[in-house]
Amino acid sequence: MAKGSTMQTLYELCKKTFTPSSVSPSSQSIWKLCSLMDSISPADVGLKEDALDDDRGHGFFESNPFKSLTRAAQWAQPITYLHIYECDSFTIGIFCLPTASVIPLHDHPGMTVLSKILYGSMHVKAYDWVEPSCITNSGKPSKISVKLAKYQADAVLTAPCPTRVLYPKTGGNLHCFTAITSVAVLDVLAPPYSEVAGRRCTYYHDYPYSTFSTVKELEMDEREEDYSWLEAIDAPDDLYMRSGKYSGPPVKQELSFPGFCTIA
């Protein structure tokens, strides 16, 4: 059933591109993945075009017998993650964000991430760490530890638009998504998050550069608004996510190794 599907092609290309080793994929390999992801539509992953305007997008995941809910209740809808595939080398999934929902500022340590907006519009704010690292432990009213980062993106993206790529140290490895409309994002993460391997997702709060401006002086050609200080924080209490059911074409492995990969 999955043979010949776009998602099967994506899986096979990811399998060729990413390995469990720490070897970074070539720029040509990433370009091929981007070209393929650029061609993927909502229908290719089981999302119906005529459902895109459902109340905050939850029509994709389950029947909705509560159409008479108040607007306040509708705005409490969670972000939904549709798991497609995962192995030691990469993971494929879709984040479905209701209008005005936020995936807070977070990092992707040692990871390459490709993100394709399937439908909708969202604001993206992204940073990379300044190298060499600039860290300070000053702050009021309480002492905090912050690290300097530079803006890589602060823009509104609307489908259809090119697939975005971030790398371990470039391209906006730390980012935040805010849904302007109901929006779905197809993600490929390589390698996946892993506590054991030291790839733990960390959330951050950003402060304007002027908050700690005495710590580092900028060069003549640099602007304060291009920099922020980031403080590592616990996962926000209001981050509301749930797992949904992926209804698109499944991917099929030629060989199966128990305990190595999981398929939706």
Side-chain angles (χ1 to χ4, degrees):
M1 176 181 176
K3 187 176 181 180
S5 72
T6 306
M7 296 310 294
Q8 181 69 23
T9 303
L10 177 61
Y11 155 75
E12 292 174 355
L13 189 53
C14 285
K15 188 177 179 181
K16 292 178 181 178
T17 303
F18 305 115
T19 66
S21 70
S22 58
V23 177
S24 299
S26 67
S27 57
Q28 183 178 13
S29 296
I30 295 297
W31 179 83
K32 289 180 180 178
L33 275 171
C34 288
S35 296
L36 175 59
M37 291 178 69
D38 284 345
S39 72
I40 296 176
S41 69
D44 290 328
V45 294
L47 301 181
K48 296 180 180 179
E49 294 280 0
D50 59 2
L52 300 188
D53 293 326
D54 281 2
D55 292 333
R56 296 184 54 90
H58 53 62
F60 289 128
F61 318 119
E62 56 188 26
S63 59
N64 178 27
F66 306 112
K67 288 292 187 178
S68 62
L69 288 177
T70 64
R71 179 176 295 273
Q74 291 175 3
W75 278 66
Q77 291 295 319
I79 296 168
T80 301
Y81 179 70
L82 309 180
H83 171 72
I84 299 175
Y85 178 87
E86 182 173 347
C87 67
D88 288 352
S89 301
F90 62 92
T91 185
I92 304 173
I94 301 171
F95 287 94
C96 298
L97 288 74
T99 305
S101 62
V102 178
I103 296 181
L105 185 63
H106 62 283
D107 64 357
H108 304 82
M111 300 159 65
T112 298
V113 181
L114 294 88
S115 299
K116 155 70 176 178
I117 301 179
L118 296 168
Y119 66 79
S121 180
M122 69 180 186
H123 177 263
V124 176
K125 178 169 62 175
Y127 298 95
D128 283 323
W129 294 121
V130 169
E131 298 291 349
S133 297
C134 182
I135 302 173
T136 180
N137 291 312
S138 62
K140 295 180 180 180
S142 59
K143 193 173 184 180
I144 60 174
S145 178
V146 293
K147 187 175 179 181
L148 190 62
K150 185 174 183 179
Y151 271 113
Q152 294 301 317
D154 187 6
V156 173
L157 303 179
T158 301
C161 59
T163 298
R164 292 180 60 85
V165 186
L166 63 84
Y167 299 92
K169 294 186 177 181
T170 61
N173 187 274
L174 307 99
H175 64 200
C176 169
F177 293 161
T178 302
I180 296 175
T181 67
S182 179
V183 63
V185 183
L186 172 64
D187 265 1
V188 173
L189 283 70
Y193 286 111
S194 170
E195 294 273 351
V196 175
R199 295 187 299 273
R200 177 180 179 273
C201 181
T202 301
Y203 293 91
Y204 295 89
H205 176 77
D206 51 349
Y207 296 88
Y209 174 82
S210 58
T211 308
F212 309 103
S213 59
T214 59
V215 176
K216 173 181 168 59
E217 291 188 5
L218 299 179
E219 301 295 334
M220 290 293 293
D221 59 345
E222 295 179 315
R223 305 183 306 166
E224 287 190 8
E225 53 265 39
D226 291 335
Y227 294 87
S228 290
W229 296 95
L230 306 189
E231 175 194 11
I233 60 173
D234 294 332
D237 293 335
D238 57 355
L239 179 57
Y240 184 19
M241 287 194 183
R242 67 177 177 186
S243 296
K245 183 178 180 181
Y246 170 67
S247 58
V251 296
K252 185 177 181 180
Q253 298 177 90
E254 293 181 2
L255 296 175
S256 179
F257 299 94
F260 181 71
C261 297
T262 58
I263 305 175

